[in-house]
Each structure stands twice: as C-alpha cells, then as structure tokens.
mmCIF file of all heavy atoms in Angstrom:
data_model
loop_
_atom_site.group_PDB
_atom_site.id
_atom_site.type_symbol
_atom_site.label_atom_id
_atom_site.label_comp_id
_atom_site.label_asym_id
_atom_site.label_seq_id
_atom_site.Cartn_x
_atom_site.Cartn_y
_atom_site.Cartn_z
ATOM 1 N N GLN A 1 0.832 -1.193 0.006
ATOM 2 C CA GLN A 1 0.004 0.004 0.001
ATOM 3 C C GLN A 1 0.864 1.274 -0.009
ATOM 4 O O GLN A 1 0.572 2.236 -0.698
ATOM 5 C CB GLN A 1 -0.957 0.005 1.203
ATOM 6 C CG GLN A 1 -2.008 -1.082 1.170
ATOM 7 C CD GLN A 1 -2.961 -0.908 0.014
ATOM 8 O OE1 GLN A 1 -3.280 0.222 -0.384
ATOM 9 N NE2 GLN A 1 -3.473 -2.017 -0.529
ATOM 10 N N LEU A 2 1.920 1.253 0.771
ATOM 11 C CA LEU A 2 2.825 2.415 0.822
ATOM 12 C C LEU A 2 3.463 2.684 -0.533
ATOM 13 O O LEU A 2 3.522 3.842 -0.984
ATOM 14 C CB LEU A 2 3.881 2.180 1.904
ATOM 15 C CG LEU A 2 3.430 2.188 3.357
ATOM 16 C CD1 LEU A 2 4.552 1.688 4.274
ATOM 17 C CD2 LEU A 2 3.011 3.598 3.770
ATOM 18 N N THR A 3 3.982 1.634 -1.157
ATOM 19 C CA THR A 3 4.689 1.860 -2.414
ATOM 20 C C THR A 3 3.742 2.121 -3.557
ATOM 21 O O THR A 3 4.126 2.884 -4.494
ATOM 22 C CB THR A 3 5.575 0.611 -2.742
ATOM 23 O OG1 THR A 3 4.778 -0.562 -2.672
ATOM 24 C CG2 THR A 3 6.701 0.512 -1.752
ATOM 25 N N ASN A 4 2.569 1.538 -3.568
ATOM 26 C CA ASN A 4 1.625 1.872 -4.609
ATOM 27 C C ASN A 4 1.221 3.327 -4.521
ATOM 28 O O ASN A 4 1.130 4.008 -5.565
ATOM 29 C CB ASN A 4 0.379 0.973 -4.480
ATOM 30 C CG ASN A 4 -0.635 1.256 -5.584
ATOM 31 O OD1 ASN A 4 -0.372 1.001 -6.766
ATOM 32 N ND2 ASN A 4 -1.806 1.815 -5.201
ATOM 33 N N THR A 5 1.041 3.822 -3.307
ATOM 34 C CA THR A 5 0.752 5.240 -3.138
ATOM 35 C C THR A 5 1.917 6.106 -3.574
ATOM 36 O O THR A 5 1.723 7.126 -4.262
ATOM 37 C CB THR A 5 0.427 5.514 -1.651
ATOM 38 O OG1 THR A 5 -0.720 4.783 -1.232
ATOM 39 C CG2 THR A 5 0.184 7.009 -1.394
ATOM 40 N N TRP A 6 3.114 5.665 -3.250
ATOM 41 C CA TRP A 6 4.325 6.423 -3.665
ATOM 42 C C TRP A 6 4.418 6.500 -5.172
ATOM 43 O O TRP A 6 4.589 7.575 -5.755
ATOM 44 C CB TRP A 6 5.560 5.734 -3.095
ATOM 45 C CG TRP A 6 6.820 6.546 -3.209
ATOM 46 C CD1 TRP A 6 7.415 7.275 -2.223
ATOM 47 C CD2 TRP A 6 7.682 6.646 -4.351
ATOM 48 N NE1 TRP A 6 8.566 7.865 -2.709
ATOM 49 C CE2 TRP A 6 8.757 7.518 -3.997
ATOM 50 C CE3 TRP A 6 7.636 6.142 -5.627
ATOM 51 C CZ2 TRP A 6 9.764 7.840 -4.889
ATOM 52 C CZ3 TRP A 6 8.651 6.475 -6.539
ATOM 53 C CH2 TRP A 6 9.708 7.329 -6.153
ATOM 54 N N LEU A 7 4.276 5.341 -5.838
ATOM 55 C CA LEU A 7 4.379 5.313 -7.307
ATOM 56 C C LEU A 7 3.307 6.143 -7.974
ATOM 57 O O LEU A 7 3.556 6.798 -8.971
ATOM 58 C CB LEU A 7 4.305 3.852 -7.775
ATOM 59 C CG LEU A 7 5.501 2.958 -7.423
ATOM 60 C CD1 LEU A 7 5.138 1.499 -7.609
ATOM 61 C CD2 LEU A 7 6.726 3.344 -8.244
ATOM 62 N N THR A 8 2.109 6.126 -7.382
ATOM 63 C CA THR A 8 1.002 6.898 -7.945
ATOM 64 C C THR A 8 1.229 8.411 -7.775
ATOM 65 O O THR A 8 1.040 9.195 -8.699
ATOM 66 C CB THR A 8 -0.308 6.483 -7.289
ATOM 67 O OG1 THR A 8 -0.504 5.066 -7.479
ATOM 68 C CG2 THR A 8 -1.491 7.266 -7.911
ATOM 69 N N ARG A 9 1.608 8.801 -6.573
ATOM 70 C CA ARG A 9 1.739 10.224 -6.269
ATOM 71 C C ARG A 9 2.968 10.841 -6.907
ATOM 72 O O ARG A 9 2.938 11.992 -7.374
ATOM 73 C CB ARG A 9 1.794 10.451 -4.752
ATOM 74 C CG ARG A 9 0.514 10.038 -3.998
ATOM 75 C CD ARG A 9 0.573 10.482 -2.575
ATOM 76 N NE ARG A 9 0.179 11.877 -2.446
ATOM 77 C CZ ARG A 9 0.499 12.638 -1.398
ATOM 78 N NH1 ARG A 9 1.230 12.180 -0.421
ATOM 79 N NH2 ARG A 9 0.101 13.886 -1.341
ATOM 80 N N VAL A 10 4.096 10.128 -6.883
ATOM 81 C CA VAL A 10 5.344 10.716 -7.373
ATOM 82 C C VAL A 10 5.420 10.700 -8.892
ATOM 83 O O VAL A 10 5.858 11.697 -9.486
ATOM 84 C CB VAL A 10 6.564 9.984 -6.749
ATOM 85 C CG1 VAL A 10 7.870 10.451 -7.339
ATOM 86 C CG2 VAL A 10 6.564 10.182 -5.225
ATOM 87 N N LYS A 11 5.047 9.629 -9.484
ATOM 88 C CA LYS A 11 5.218 9.547 -10.945
ATOM 89 C C LYS A 11 3.910 9.325 -11.703
ATOM 90 O O LYS A 11 3.897 9.191 -12.907
ATOM 91 C CB LYS A 11 6.164 8.382 -11.293
ATOM 92 C CG LYS A 11 7.578 8.589 -10.753
ATOM 93 C CD LYS A 11 8.247 9.826 -11.345
ATOM 94 C CE LYS A 11 9.664 10.019 -10.829
ATOM 95 N NZ LYS A 11 10.296 11.220 -11.353
ATOM 96 N N CYS A 12 2.776 9.314 -10.966
ATOM 97 C CA CYS A 12 1.450 9.184 -11.610
ATOM 98 C C CYS A 12 1.363 7.967 -12.523
ATOM 99 O O CYS A 12 0.942 8.054 -13.671
ATOM 100 C CB CYS A 12 1.089 10.447 -12.384
ATOM 101 S SG CYS A 12 0.970 11.896 -11.367
ATOM 102 N N HIS A 13 1.812 6.831 -12.033
ATOM 103 C CA HIS A 13 1.765 5.579 -12.807
ATOM 104 C C HIS A 13 0.337 5.023 -12.713
ATOM 105 O O HIS A 13 0.035 4.190 -11.896
ATOM 106 C CB HIS A 13 2.739 4.561 -12.281
ATOM 107 C CG HIS A 13 4.149 4.869 -12.653
ATOM 108 N ND1 HIS A 13 5.184 4.027 -12.397
ATOM 109 C CD2 HIS A 13 4.690 5.959 -13.264
ATOM 110 C CE1 HIS A 13 6.314 4.557 -12.888
ATOM 111 N NE2 HIS A 13 6.051 5.732 -13.394
ATOM 112 N N GLU A 14 -0.522 5.490 -13.570
ATOM 113 C CA GLU A 14 -1.916 5.074 -13.489
ATOM 114 C C GLU A 14 -2.108 3.565 -13.759
ATOM 115 O O GLU A 14 -3.009 2.962 -13.208
ATOM 116 C CB GLU A 14 -2.738 5.851 -14.535
ATOM 117 C CG GLU A 14 -2.777 7.348 -14.283
ATOM 118 C CD GLU A 14 -3.463 7.718 -12.970
ATOM 119 O OE1 GLU A 14 -4.321 6.918 -12.502
ATOM 120 O OE2 GLU A 14 -3.137 8.737 -12.396
ATOM 121 N N ASP A 15 -1.222 2.986 -14.572
ATOM 122 C CA ASP A 15 -1.344 1.581 -14.874
ATOM 123 C C ASP A 15 -1.100 0.729 -13.633
ATOM 124 O O ASP A 15 -1.617 -0.395 -13.510
ATOM 125 C CB ASP A 15 -0.388 1.161 -15.985
ATOM 126 C CG ASP A 15 1.070 1.490 -15.623
ATOM 127 O OD1 ASP A 15 1.306 2.602 -15.082
ATOM 128 O OD2 ASP A 15 1.925 0.649 -15.879
ATOM 129 N N ILE A 16 -0.316 1.232 -12.714
ATOM 130 C CA ILE A 16 -0.024 0.494 -11.496
ATOM 131 C C ILE A 16 -1.177 0.603 -10.526
ATOM 132 O O ILE A 16 -1.327 -0.221 -9.633
ATOM 133 C CB ILE A 16 1.243 1.015 -10.832
ATOM 134 C CG1 ILE A 16 2.450 0.809 -11.786
ATOM 135 C CG2 ILE A 16 1.556 0.374 -9.513
ATOM 136 C CD1 ILE A 16 3.730 1.403 -11.307
ATOM 137 N N ASN A 17 -2.027 1.584 -10.689
ATOM 138 C CA ASN A 17 -3.074 1.866 -9.714
ATOM 139 C C ASN A 17 -4.423 1.267 -10.077
ATOM 140 O O ASN A 17 -5.436 1.689 -9.540
ATOM 141 C CB ASN A 17 -3.190 3.405 -9.539
ATOM 142 C CG ASN A 17 -3.897 3.769 -8.268
ATOM 143 O OD1 ASN A 17 -3.732 3.128 -7.244
ATOM 144 N ND2 ASN A 17 -4.715 4.835 -8.341
ATOM 145 N N THR A 18 -4.464 0.326 -10.995
ATOM 146 C CA THR A 18 -5.716 -0.303 -11.303
ATOM 147 C C THR A 18 -6.211 -1.030 -10.034
ATOM 148 O O THR A 18 -5.473 -1.833 -9.450
ATOM 149 C CB THR A 18 -5.540 -1.338 -12.423
ATOM 150 O OG1 THR A 18 -4.997 -0.664 -13.559
ATOM 151 C CG2 THR A 18 -6.856 -1.965 -12.833
ATOM 152 N N THR A 19 -7.430 -0.754 -9.603
ATOM 153 C CA THR A 19 -7.876 -1.223 -8.308
ATOM 154 C C THR A 19 -9.012 -2.218 -8.419
ATOM 155 O O THR A 19 -9.760 -2.271 -9.406
ATOM 156 C CB THR A 19 -8.331 -0.042 -7.433
ATOM 157 O OG1 THR A 19 -9.420 0.634 -8.074
ATOM 158 C CG2 THR A 19 -7.204 0.910 -7.174
ATOM 159 N N TYR A 20 -9.131 -3.002 -7.379
ATOM 160 C CA TYR A 20 -10.234 -3.947 -7.207
ATOM 161 C C TYR A 20 -10.860 -3.692 -5.851
ATOM 162 O O TYR A 20 -10.156 -3.518 -4.879
ATOM 163 C CB TYR A 20 -9.738 -5.381 -7.313
ATOM 164 C CG TYR A 20 -9.177 -5.718 -8.652
ATOM 165 C CD1 TYR A 20 -7.809 -5.513 -8.893
ATOM 166 C CD2 TYR A 20 -9.960 -6.223 -9.668
ATOM 167 C CE1 TYR A 20 -7.271 -5.814 -10.152
ATOM 168 C CE2 TYR A 20 -9.433 -6.523 -10.934
ATOM 169 C CZ TYR A 20 -8.084 -6.312 -11.151
ATOM 170 O OH TYR A 20 -7.562 -6.599 -12.381
ATOM 171 N N SER A 21 -12.161 -3.679 -5.802
ATOM 172 C CA SER A 21 -12.836 -3.350 -4.558
ATOM 173 C C SER A 21 -12.639 -4.456 -3.529
ATOM 174 O O SER A 21 -12.741 -5.647 -3.830
ATOM 175 C CB SER A 21 -14.354 -3.180 -4.809
ATOM 176 O OG SER A 21 -15.006 -2.951 -3.586
ATOM 177 N N TYR A 22 -12.316 -4.048 -2.321
ATOM 178 C CA TYR A 22 -12.189 -4.987 -1.187
ATOM 179 C C TYR A 22 -12.531 -4.199 0.056
ATOM 180 O O TYR A 22 -11.721 -3.565 0.645
ATOM 181 C CB TYR A 22 -10.747 -5.518 -1.103
ATOM 182 C CG TYR A 22 -10.608 -6.547 0.012
ATOM 183 C CD1 TYR A 22 -11.068 -7.855 -0.135
ATOM 184 C CD2 TYR A 22 -9.968 -6.191 1.201
ATOM 185 C CE1 TYR A 22 -10.951 -8.793 0.883
ATOM 186 C CE2 TYR A 22 -9.833 -7.129 2.217
ATOM 187 C CZ TYR A 22 -10.314 -8.405 2.072
ATOM 188 O OH TYR A 22 -10.182 -9.321 3.080
ATOM 189 N N ASP A 23 -13.803 -4.225 0.436
ATOM 190 C CA ASP A 23 -14.237 -3.355 1.512
ATOM 191 C C ASP A 23 -14.838 -4.135 2.690
ATOM 192 O O ASP A 23 -15.536 -3.574 3.518
ATOM 193 C CB ASP A 23 -15.248 -2.329 1.031
ATOM 194 C CG ASP A 23 -16.423 -2.976 0.301
ATOM 195 O OD1 ASP A 23 -16.527 -4.218 0.330
ATOM 196 O OD2 ASP A 23 -17.252 -2.224 -0.234
ATOM 197 N N VAL A 24 -14.624 -5.463 2.715
ATOM 198 C CA VAL A 24 -15.123 -6.248 3.844
ATOM 199 C C VAL A 24 -14.143 -6.163 4.997
ATOM 200 O O VAL A 24 -13.003 -6.593 4.879
ATOM 201 C CB VAL A 24 -15.344 -7.730 3.423
ATOM 202 C CG1 VAL A 24 -15.848 -8.538 4.597
ATOM 203 C CG2 VAL A 24 -16.273 -7.826 2.230
ATOM 204 N N MET A 25 -14.590 -5.620 6.123
ATOM 205 C CA MET A 25 -13.680 -5.404 7.251
ATOM 206 C C MET A 25 -13.752 -6.599 8.202
ATOM 207 O O MET A 25 -14.801 -7.239 8.355
ATOM 208 C CB MET A 25 -14.057 -4.123 8.012
ATOM 209 C CG MET A 25 -13.838 -2.892 7.172
ATOM 210 S SD MET A 25 -14.011 -1.402 8.162
ATOM 211 C CE MET A 25 -12.693 -1.622 9.344
ATOM 212 N N ASN A 26 -12.674 -6.895 8.852
ATOM 213 C CA ASN A 26 -12.629 -7.926 9.866
ATOM 214 C C ASN A 26 -13.513 -7.505 11.035
ATOM 215 O O ASN A 26 -13.421 -6.404 11.533
ATOM 216 C CB ASN A 26 -11.141 -8.079 10.327
ATOM 217 C CG ASN A 26 -10.966 -9.271 11.226
ATOM 218 O OD1 ASN A 26 -11.792 -9.567 12.083
ATOM 219 N ND2 ASN A 26 -9.864 -9.973 11.007
ATOM 220 N N ASP A 27 -14.412 -8.405 11.431
ATOM 221 C CA ASP A 27 -15.336 -8.071 12.537
ATOM 222 C C ASP A 27 -14.630 -7.614 13.785
ATOM 223 O O ASP A 27 -15.108 -6.832 14.559
ATOM 224 C CB ASP A 27 -16.203 -9.275 12.847
ATOM 225 C CG ASP A 27 -17.221 -9.565 11.742
ATOM 226 O OD1 ASP A 27 -17.490 -8.652 10.966
ATOM 227 O OD2 ASP A 27 -17.720 -10.684 11.706
ATOM 228 N N GLU A 28 -13.374 -8.126 13.989
ATOM 229 C CA GLU A 28 -12.629 -7.808 15.182
ATOM 230 C C GLU A 28 -12.336 -6.319 15.264
ATOM 231 O O GLU A 28 -12.137 -5.767 16.354
ATOM 232 C CB GLU A 28 -11.316 -8.613 15.215
ATOM 233 C CG GLU A 28 -10.508 -8.437 16.494
ATOM 234 C CD GLU A 28 -9.214 -9.255 16.448
ATOM 235 O OE1 GLU A 28 -9.080 -10.059 15.509
ATOM 236 O OE2 GLU A 28 -8.417 -9.103 17.389
ATOM 237 N N TYR A 29 -12.276 -5.627 14.117
ATOM 238 C CA TYR A 29 -11.906 -4.240 14.120
ATOM 239 C C TYR A 29 -13.052 -3.322 13.621
ATOM 240 O O TYR A 29 -12.847 -2.167 13.390
ATOM 241 C CB TYR A 29 -10.661 -4.028 13.230
ATOM 242 C CG TYR A 29 -9.545 -4.932 13.632
ATOM 243 C CD1 TYR A 29 -9.254 -6.095 12.921
ATOM 244 C CD2 TYR A 29 -8.810 -4.668 14.789
ATOM 245 C CE1 TYR A 29 -8.273 -6.942 13.332
ATOM 246 C CE2 TYR A 29 -7.783 -5.536 15.184
ATOM 247 C CZ TYR A 29 -7.543 -6.655 14.466
ATOM 248 O OH TYR A 29 -6.547 -7.497 14.876
ATOM 249 N N SER A 30 -14.270 -3.903 13.471
ATOM 250 C CA SER A 30 -15.383 -3.138 12.905
ATOM 251 C C SER A 30 -15.865 -2.048 13.843
ATOM 252 O O SER A 30 -16.639 -1.189 13.423
ATOM 253 C CB SER A 30 -16.536 -4.062 12.551
ATOM 254 O OG SER A 30 -16.987 -4.752 13.693
ATOM 255 N N HIS A 31 -15.441 -2.080 15.126
ATOM 256 C CA HIS A 31 -15.892 -1.055 16.073
ATOM 257 C C HIS A 31 -15.234 0.311 15.765
ATOM 258 O O HIS A 31 -15.690 1.297 16.250
ATOM 259 C CB HIS A 31 -15.554 -1.479 17.486
ATOM 260 C CG HIS A 31 -14.132 -1.873 17.668
ATOM 261 N ND1 HIS A 31 -13.707 -3.183 17.534
ATOM 262 C CD2 HIS A 31 -13.012 -1.157 17.941
ATOM 263 C CE1 HIS A 31 -12.395 -3.258 17.726
ATOM 264 N NE2 HIS A 31 -11.962 -2.039 17.960
ATOM 265 N N VAL A 32 -14.172 0.289 14.972
ATOM 266 C CA VAL A 32 -13.521 1.541 14.587
ATOM 267 C C VAL A 32 -13.856 1.804 13.114
ATOM 268 O O VAL A 32 -13.520 0.954 12.245
ATOM 269 C CB VAL A 32 -12.004 1.475 14.794
ATOM 270 C CG1 VAL A 32 -11.346 2.785 14.349
ATOM 271 C CG2 VAL A 32 -11.662 1.217 16.231
ATOM 272 N N PRO A 33 -14.510 2.899 12.784
ATOM 273 C CA PRO A 33 -14.959 3.122 11.412
ATOM 274 C C PRO A 33 -13.838 3.565 10.458
ATOM 275 O O PRO A 33 -13.813 4.639 9.888
ATOM 276 C CB PRO A 33 -15.972 4.259 11.592
ATOM 277 C CG PRO A 33 -15.475 5.026 12.776
ATOM 278 C CD PRO A 33 -14.885 3.981 13.694
ATOM 279 N N ILE A 34 -12.863 2.702 10.299
ATOM 280 C CA ILE A 34 -11.739 3.000 9.408
ATOM 281 C C ILE A 34 -11.918 2.267 8.097
ATOM 282 O O ILE A 34 -12.289 1.051 8.095
ATOM 283 C CB ILE A 34 -10.389 2.645 10.105
ATOM 284 C CG1 ILE A 34 -9.206 2.992 9.148
ATOM 285 C CG2 ILE A 34 -10.339 1.179 10.475
ATOM 286 C CD1 ILE A 34 -7.872 2.818 9.849
ATOM 287 N N GLN A 35 -11.689 2.908 6.998
ATOM 288 C CA GLN A 35 -11.929 2.340 5.688
ATOM 289 C C GLN A 35 -10.797 1.402 5.261
ATOM 290 O O GLN A 35 -9.635 1.653 5.567
ATOM 291 C CB GLN A 35 -12.079 3.467 4.671
ATOM 292 C CG GLN A 35 -12.438 2.954 3.269
ATOM 293 C CD GLN A 35 -12.626 4.114 2.296
ATOM 294 O OE1 GLN A 35 -12.682 5.261 2.702
ATOM 295 N NE2 GLN A 35 -12.725 3.816 1.012
ATOM 296 N N MET A 36 -11.162 0.327 4.611
ATOM 297 C CA MET A 36 -10.180 -0.620 4.112
ATOM 298 C C MET A 36 -9.586 -0.115 2.784
ATOM 299 O O MET A 36 -10.306 0.324 1.884
ATOM 300 C CB MET A 36 -10.832 -1.995 3.896
ATOM 301 C CG MET A 36 -9.893 -3.075 3.396
ATOM 302 S SD MET A 36 -8.818 -3.718 4.709
ATOM 303 C CE MET A 36 -9.969 -4.664 5.670
ATOM 304 N N ALA A 37 -8.265 -0.209 2.634
ATOM 305 C CA ALA A 37 -7.594 0.164 1.385
ATOM 306 C C ALA A 37 -7.979 -0.835 0.300
ATOM 307 O O ALA A 37 -8.252 -2.023 0.606
ATOM 308 C CB ALA A 37 -6.086 0.226 1.584
ATOM 309 N N GLU A 38 -7.961 -0.386 -0.902
ATOM 310 C CA GLU A 38 -8.261 -1.266 -2.044
ATOM 311 C C GLU A 38 -7.003 -1.998 -2.489
ATOM 312 O O GLU A 38 -5.888 -1.518 -2.365
ATOM 313 C CB GLU A 38 -8.825 -0.452 -3.196
ATOM 314 C CG GLU A 38 -10.172 0.178 -2.920
ATOM 315 C CD GLU A 38 -10.697 0.949 -4.080
ATOM 316 O OE1 GLU A 38 -9.861 1.597 -4.806
ATOM 317 O OE2 GLU A 38 -11.918 0.944 -4.303
ATOM 318 N N THR A 39 -7.221 -3.193 -3.025
ATOM 319 C CA THR A 39 -6.086 -3.932 -3.623
ATOM 320 C C THR A 39 -5.859 -3.419 -5.060
ATOM 321 O O THR A 39 -6.625 -2.628 -5.580
ATOM 322 C CB THR A 39 -6.375 -5.430 -3.629
ATOM 323 O OG1 THR A 39 -7.558 -5.686 -4.384
ATOM 324 C CG2 THR A 39 -6.538 -5.962 -2.222
ATOM 325 N N PHE A 40 -4.839 -3.928 -5.696
ATOM 326 C CA PHE A 40 -4.481 -3.487 -7.041
ATOM 327 C C PHE A 40 -3.695 -4.590 -7.728
ATOM 328 O O PHE A 40 -3.339 -5.578 -7.106
ATOM 329 C CB PHE A 40 -3.692 -2.180 -7.004
ATOM 330 C CG PHE A 40 -2.529 -2.214 -6.028
ATOM 331 C CD1 PHE A 40 -1.285 -2.677 -6.412
ATOM 332 C CD2 PHE A 40 -2.699 -1.798 -4.697
ATOM 333 C CE1 PHE A 40 -0.236 -2.724 -5.526
ATOM 334 C CE2 PHE A 40 -1.652 -1.861 -3.798
ATOM 335 C CZ PHE A 40 -0.416 -2.327 -4.193
ATOM 336 N N CYS A 41 -3.447 -4.401 -8.999
ATOM 337 C CA CYS A 41 -2.697 -5.411 -9.759
ATOM 338 C C CYS A 41 -1.233 -5.444 -9.324
ATOM 339 O O CYS A 41 -0.574 -4.387 -9.244
ATOM 340 C CB CYS A 41 -2.774 -5.131 -11.250
ATOM 341 S SG CYS A 41 -4.407 -5.380 -11.952
ATOM 342 N N ILE A 42 -0.711 -6.618 -9.064
ATOM 343 C CA ILE A 42 0.689 -6.771 -8.698
ATOM 344 C C ILE A 42 1.498 -7.013 -9.946
ATOM 345 O O ILE A 42 1.316 -8.027 -10.649
ATOM 346 C CB ILE A 42 0.885 -7.970 -7.728
ATOM 347 C CG1 ILE A 42 0.010 -7.814 -6.481
ATOM 348 C CG2 ILE A 42 2.329 -8.081 -7.347
ATOM 349 C CD1 ILE A 42 0.310 -6.586 -5.652
ATOM 350 N N ASP A 43 2.370 -6.060 -10.292
ATOM 351 C CA ASP A 43 3.151 -6.217 -11.518
ATOM 352 C C ASP A 43 4.382 -7.070 -11.269
ATOM 353 O O ASP A 43 4.694 -7.459 -10.134
ATOM 354 C CB ASP A 43 3.526 -4.849 -12.119
ATOM 355 C CG ASP A 43 4.254 -3.992 -11.104
ATOM 356 O OD1 ASP A 43 5.010 -4.556 -10.267
ATOM 357 O OD2 ASP A 43 4.134 -2.750 -11.166
ATOM 358 N N THR A 44 5.082 -7.380 -12.341
ATOM 359 C CA THR A 44 6.227 -8.273 -12.250
ATOM 360 C C THR A 44 7.351 -7.695 -11.368
ATOM 361 O O THR A 44 7.973 -8.440 -10.589
ATOM 362 C CB THR A 44 6.820 -8.499 -13.667
ATOM 363 O OG1 THR A 44 5.815 -9.065 -14.491
ATOM 364 C CG2 THR A 44 8.015 -9.465 -13.608
ATOM 365 N N GLU A 45 7.600 -6.371 -11.470
ATOM 366 C CA GLU A 45 8.636 -5.762 -10.666
ATOM 367 C C GLU A 45 8.334 -5.901 -9.176
ATOM 368 O O GLU A 45 9.235 -6.202 -8.372
ATOM 369 C CB GLU A 45 8.781 -4.273 -11.028
ATOM 370 C CG GLU A 45 9.335 -4.015 -12.423
ATOM 371 C CD GLU A 45 8.300 -4.069 -13.494
ATOM 372 O OE1 GLU A 45 7.124 -4.301 -13.182
ATOM 373 O OE2 GLU A 45 8.663 -3.865 -14.659
#
C-alpha cells in the first residue's frame, strides 16, 4: 500500500493503480470506522 501510493503520487503511474474493490472489514476491528484500502494489480517488478 505504501509503495503503490508512492508510485502513484510521485510519478502518476496510472497503470499500477488499477484497483479492485475490497471493503469487507474484519469483525474484530469493525468497532472503529476506518476504511479498508483497495487492492491493485501486482506487476512483475
């Protein structure tokens, strides 16, 4: 998540930022309304 954000913000690599929805939170932490980050395509590098 850190590096995908870095690559997107610093060099605007849109192809790296293709996302897939993943918003199901673990019940153990659902008491805190924090949003789940989305996954994305893992490239060869």
Side-chain angles (χ1 to χ4, degrees):
Q1 293 296 328
L2 290 168
T3 52
N4 181 66
T5 298
W6 191 99
L7 291 165
T8 302
R9 297 188 82 200
V10 173
K11 297 298 181 182
C12 298
H13 284 187
E14 296 296 333
D15 57 317
I16 297 174
N17 198 36
T18 304
T19 60
Y20 296 89
S21 177
Y22 182 76
D23 55 6
V24 179
M25 295 190 61
N26 189 319
D27 290 340
E28 185 179 353
Y29 306 102
S30 60
H31 51 268
V32 179
I34 181 172
Q35 185 178 349
M36 181 75 72
E38 294 180 324
T39 59
F40 49 88
C41 291
I42 304 297
D43 57 31
T44 302
E45 291 84 0

